[in-house]
Amino acid sequence: MSGVWVFKNGVVRLVENPANEQSSTVRRKVLLHTPTNEVINSYASLERKLTSLGWERYYEDPDLLQFHKRSSIDLISLPRDFSQFKSMHMYDIVVKNRESFRVIDM
């Protein structure tokens, strides 16, 4: 007997192929710019939004996109490839810009 035990709604059950099970329930996370209600779908779009909020781009590390705000010690570091932009990066942006961004399920 192989698989993964899943606890959902007070019931425990064995899922033999968790990949198939998750594909129907997992939703893709996206970053939403709340003032414009726009989903961020590229780094160019994200950079425009961040610079309008006072973030400056750092060019020191070629493997990362980095943004810093002069008025704080915060640093946002993102992978260079937008396809590697994960929910943990989105939440980092949200925590540092609570009034301007949200992470939602698509």
Side-chain angles (χ1 to χ4, degrees), residues 30-41 45 49 52-53 98-106:
V30 293
L31 185 65
L32 178 74
H33 183 248
T34 51
T36 61
N37 211 24
E38 176 187 344
V39 172
I40 302 299
N41 54 13
S45 172
K49 304 297 183 199
S52 72
L53 293 169
R98 291 187 189 279
E99 302 297 320
S100 300
F101 293 98
R102 281 184 23 210
V103 176
I104 60 170
D105 290 326
M106 195 63 156

